[in-house]
Amino acid sequence: MKQQHNPQKLALKFARLRRENQSGQHLALALGRDTTHDTPDLPPQPEVPIAPRKTVVGMDYAASYSATGGVATCRTWFDFAKPLAFEFSVHDVDVIEISGCLNVQSEDLARFDKSFATNWGNAPDVSGCLKMDTPALHDLHNAQSAHWQPSQREQACVATATSSAAKTQDCATSNYAASVEFVGCTAQETSGSQAIHACQKTALGKAPQVPCEWYPIILPPPKDERTRPCGERPKGNAVRLNMSRHKVRYSPTQIPLPLSCNVDFKQIPPLDTYMILNKITAKCGEIALNPLSASARADMGGYCWMCELTLPPDDFFALNLEQTQLGQEKIIELAINDDVFVFMAENISDNRRFAQRNYTVSGRSLTAKLGADYALGRNGVIEQDLYASQIAQQQVADLGFTLEWKTVDWLIQSNTYTLTDKSPIAVIMDLAQACGAFVYSHPSEPKLFVLPKWREAAWNVPTASPALIVPSNIILQISGQKNVQTQCHGVYVFGTGQHAKGAHVVRSGSDGLPETSALSHAVYTDLIACQAAGVAALSKTGTHKSETITLPVAKKYNLGIAEIGRIWRFNEPNGAWNAVIQGVSVSVSVEGDVPVVKQTVTADRYLGT
């Protein structure tokens, strides 16, 4: 029970010792109630950390099974033996009396109705006797001759054991005629077994192996009656501004904030002056080279990089290239800033001018070894169900190269695609061109990419989101050539094999007329391949303009070497336009002892009908 205090008296407890030195600003006054008898306070409990909420990760495992061949049930069959024909020519003679008659005692015999006396002749010598299993015979009643029908095949037949004959007693006298030799007896011939009919062979095909890839989980769109072209409306306190771009110098009047929806691109700052510092190096193994000039180019029509390097005489003779044979070319590494090009020294040439001489070494990237100059052609038929990407990857297997298939992929059934003396790269390019794609080589690694020629249909390119916006401030030179063609709206695509598919690819919103030339290939076994090929064929029609743009190479301003197949936007004073990059050529020259790097980009600009 708590102690009652007098309200006129304060329970001031001087609890500190007198010998302690106290601060003059603090009095040891216990102004609270007496807590000596209260339950001491428990120490505070540690806070239990709240586990962070984990994001649900969805994994989609997709498997593809091909249809198995029909299994035919083998029916029960019977082997009917042909009847054996015995032709005997018998001459009857008078019965000759036999001497030495035997006294035979026999038991009572069963009564025979309409029995006839039998004359037995001497048996001829038997040669080549075969063992025969004769089943037991039924009793014959009133029978003069037996007619045998073809017997059915006996299954699980058990050998018949014949007991020894009982001793004959009380045998009566019997008269036996002399045996007569058989004349004209034909030999017995046993025909071979007949073929089994109505039995079908069961053919089972192998299930094709699905490419080892991760596929995204496509979630159904949210149910919203309103149509939002930019997708779900973000929250007011979570605006999607990408602040992770490279730290570059931008104009204070043009801040690169992506305020338009679904845009993921790089932008070059529009500056009055761009400061660019280039560094060029080259080497062949451990030999350092001092290039006078260099170049590298690639486009959609080829599959590898073409490189050239101009060297002074001392560096050229140090390489000893004149003794090189086919297949033993030396590898040269050219570094242009951060971009590295590796190529084989295949060709050499010399230039002489005003008592000065230099040498040019040219060649192709490492992927050229997949061509007919180095690799042997292959023949035969693909005898199993494979995807197009798997057939392409088979061509570079065990050759030290890798391939990434980044376009539409479809199943090609067995015995459909034929290799007629094709090199590995010829097979890959054939499959890529069939679906409207092209082959691109890595500039420094033994690696290939199969990419679509048109990431967007040509009529959608003008409004598509570009990968890079190029301002007019950084464009050094630009020129173009217009090419007018009829805009086609439809094309027929069909296969030629047993598993062929066909499609009429029509541009949406049109009647499909006029039509461009039809496409035909053995690998068109799926509609997805027909659609991709049709879109690529229609994209080449209409009015196009081939633009040639000269630009510097400056990665610190987001302007690297152009990637073939990408969509770029060029901002000119008279308007902006989009184009598809179809080729790039990088050149290095020396101006006033300073290396200058430029790239010439070839772009396809669609102008419409």
Side-chain angles (χ1 to χ4, degrees):
M1 185 174 182
K2 294 183 180 181
Q3 184 179 0
Q4 299 292 333
H5 297 282
N6 188 352
Q8 297 179 358
K9 298 181 180 180
L10 295 177
L12 300 181
K13 183 179 180 180
F14 297 89
R16 297 186 183 274
L17 299 177
R18 296 179 58 185
R19 65 175 177 268
E20 293 182 0
N21 296 326
Q22 302 295 334
S23 174
Q25 298 178 355
H26 298 83
L27 297 179
L29 300 179
L31 299 180
R33 61 184 178 86
D34 187 6
T35 58
T36 57
H37 301 285
D38 294 344
T39 303
D41 297 334
L42 297 176
Q45 297 294 329
E47 297 182 358
V48 179
I50 301 176
R53 183 178 181 182
K54 297 182 179 180
T55 305
V56 178
V57 179
M59 290 182 292
D60 182 16
Y61 297 91
S64 175
Y65 300 92
S66 64
T68 59
V71 179
T73 304
C74 184
R75 298 185 177 88
T76 305
W77 59 275
F78 301 92
D79 186 14
F80 297 95
K82 293 183 178 180
L84 302 178
F86 299 93
E87 298 181 2
F88 301 97
S89 178
V90 181
H91 298 275
D92 298 331
V93 297
D94 296 334
V95 177
I96 302 175
E97 185 177 0
I98 300 176
S99 61
C101 180
L102 300 177
N103 185 14
V104 180
Q105 181 179 1
S106 61
E107 296 179 356
D108 295 338
L109 300 177
R111 183 175 177 274
F112 286 90
D113 297 332
K114 297 182 181 180
S115 60
F116 299 91
T118 304
N119 296 327
W120 300 90
N122 293 332
D125 295 337
V126 180
S127 61
C129 183
L130 301 177
K131 182 180 179 180
M132 299 181 62
D133 295 331
T134 304
L137 301 177
H138 298 286
D139 294 337
L140 299 176
H141 299 282
N142 302 328
Q144 296 180 4
S145 62
H147 300 279
W148 298 94
Q149 298 294 335
S151 60
Q152 296 182 355
R153 181 173 177 235
E154 303 245 353
Q155 299 180 354
C157 184
V158 182
T160 303
T162 306
S163 60
S164 59
K167 183 177 180 181
T168 305
Q169 299 178 359
D170 301 332
C171 181
T173 302
S174 301
N175 296 326
Y176 291 92
S179 60
V180 181
E181 185 179 2
F182 287 97
V183 181
C185 182
T186 58
Q188 175 181 349
E189 297 181 359
T190 304
S191 62
S193 60
Q194 297 180 356
I196 301 175
H197 299 286
C199 184
Q200 299 178 357
K201 181 180 179 181
T202 302
L204 299 176
K206 296 181 179 180
Q209 182 179 0
V210 180
C212 183
E213 296 178 355
W214 288 96
Y215 296 90
I217 302 176
I218 302 178
L219 300 178
K223 296 181 179 180
D224 192 350
E225 298 179 356
R226 295 171 294 179
T227 302
R228 299 184 182 275
C230 296
E232 183 182 359
R233 182 177 180 180
K235 298 180 180 180
N237 59 350
V239 181
R240 300 171 183 174
L241 299 180
N242 189 3
M243 299 297 183
S244 60
R245 299 188 183 276
H246 296 288
K247 186 178 180 181
V248 297
R249 180 183 175 186
Y250 290 102
S251 173
T253 60
Q254 297 183 2
I255 301 177
L257 295 180
L259 300 179
S260 57
C261 59
N262 298 332
V263 176
D264 184 14
F265 60 87
K266 295 181 180 179
Q267 185 175 7
I268 301 173
L271 305 177
D272 296 333
T273 304
Y274 296 91
M275 302 299 295
I276 302 174
L277 179 62
N278 297 313
K279 182 180 180 182
I280 311 300
T281 59
K283 64 179 181 178
C284 179
E286 300 297 332
I287 302 175
L289 305 175
N290 300 310
L292 303 177
S293 63
S295 65
R297 66 181 186 274
D299 53 39
M300 285 186 178
Y303 66 92
C304 58
W305 284 86
M306 305 290 294
C307 302
E308 289 185 359
L309 193 67
T310 303
L311 300 173
D314 295 341
D315 291 351
F316 174 76
F317 291 119
L319 298 178
N320 193 19
L321 298 177
E322 295 181 352
Q323 305 298 328
T324 304
Q325 298 181 358
L326 182 64
Q328 300 177 354
E329 292 81 6
K330 294 187 177 181
I331 306 301
I332 297 179
E333 180 179 317
L334 172 64
I336 303 176
N337 298 328
D338 296 334
D339 299 303
V340 180
F341 299 87
V342 177
F343 65 97
M344 300 180 295
E346 297 177 299
N347 304 312
I348 57 175
S349 61
D350 61 312
N351 304 315
R352 299 180 295 273
R353 184 178 60 179
F354 299 109
Q356 294 181 357
R357 173 176 293 186
N358 53 50
Y359 296 85
T360 300
V361 181
S362 61
R364 296 172 291 178
S365 58
L366 300 176
T367 53
K369 291 186 177 181
L370 298 175
D373 297 338
Y374 299 93
L376 298 176
R378 301 183 181 183
N379 295 289
V381 181
I382 305 298
E383 297 181 349
Q384 61 182 118
D385 297 349
L386 293 175
Y387 284 81
S389 61
Q390 293 173 323
I391 297 178
Q393 290 169 354
Q394 279 187 349
Q395 309 308 310
V396 300
D398 302 329
L399 296 179
F401 293 85
T402 58
L403 183 142
E404 291 188 12
W405 188 277
K406 294 187 176 182
T407 185
V408 295
D409 199 5
W410 71 100
L411 182 65
I412 300 176
Q413 286 75 12
S414 60
N415 301 321
T416 299
Y417 188 64
T418 304
L419 307 177
T420 54
D421 197 20
K422 294 181 180 179
S423 62
I425 194 62
V427 176
I428 298 173
M429 294 185 68
D430 186 28
L431 294 173
Q433 293 174 359
C435 62
F438 71 98
V439 182
Y440 175 77
S441 295
H442 194 281
S444 61
E445 299 178 6
K447 191 174 185 178
L448 290 171
F449 302 89
V450 179
L451 305 171
K453 290 183 178 179
W454 300 90
R455 297 176 185 264
E456 297 285 346
W459 50 88
N460 294 331
V461 169
T463 57
S465 298
L468 179 67
I469 298 179
V470 181
S472 59
N473 306 45
I474 204 170
I475 298 176
L476 302 178
Q477 185 180 355
I478 188 169
S479 61
Q481 182 178 359
K482 189 176 181 180
N483 185 14
V484 180
Q485 295 181 358
T486 303
Q487 177 65 64
C488 298
H489 297 150
V491 59
Y492 282 95
V493 184
F494 56 90
T496 59
Q498 179 181 1
H499 304 281
K501 298 290 184 180
H504 185 203
V505 182
V506 178
R507 180 176 173 180
S508 60
S510 67
D511 58 353
L513 297 175
E515 296 177 352
T516 187
S517 300
L519 303 178
S520 177
H521 202 288
V523 298
Y524 290 147
T525 58
D526 198 307
L527 294 181
I528 188 174
C530 298
Q531 181 182 3
V535 172
L538 295 179
S539 296
K540 294 190 296 184
T541 63
T543 303
H544 293 254
K545 188 176 182 181
S546 180
E547 301 282 1
T548 303
I549 308 100
T550 303
L551 301 167
V553 178
K555 283 192 174 181
K556 70 175 184 177
Y557 298 112
N558 293 331
L559 181 58
I561 296 178
E563 182 180 348
I564 300 177
R566 288 288 185 177
I567 300 176
W568 281 15
R569 176 175 298 172
F570 298 89
N571 290 338
E572 290 192 276
N574 57 350
W577 44 272
N578 290 355
V580 179
I581 306 299
Q582 294 191 330
V584 60
S585 176
V586 183
S587 61
V588 179
S589 60
V590 178
E591 299 178 3
D593 296 333
V594 177
V596 178
V597 180
K598 297 179 182 179
Q599 61 175 331
T600 301
V601 178
T602 303
D604 183 275
R605 178 183 175 186
Y606 179 75
L607 300 179
T609 56

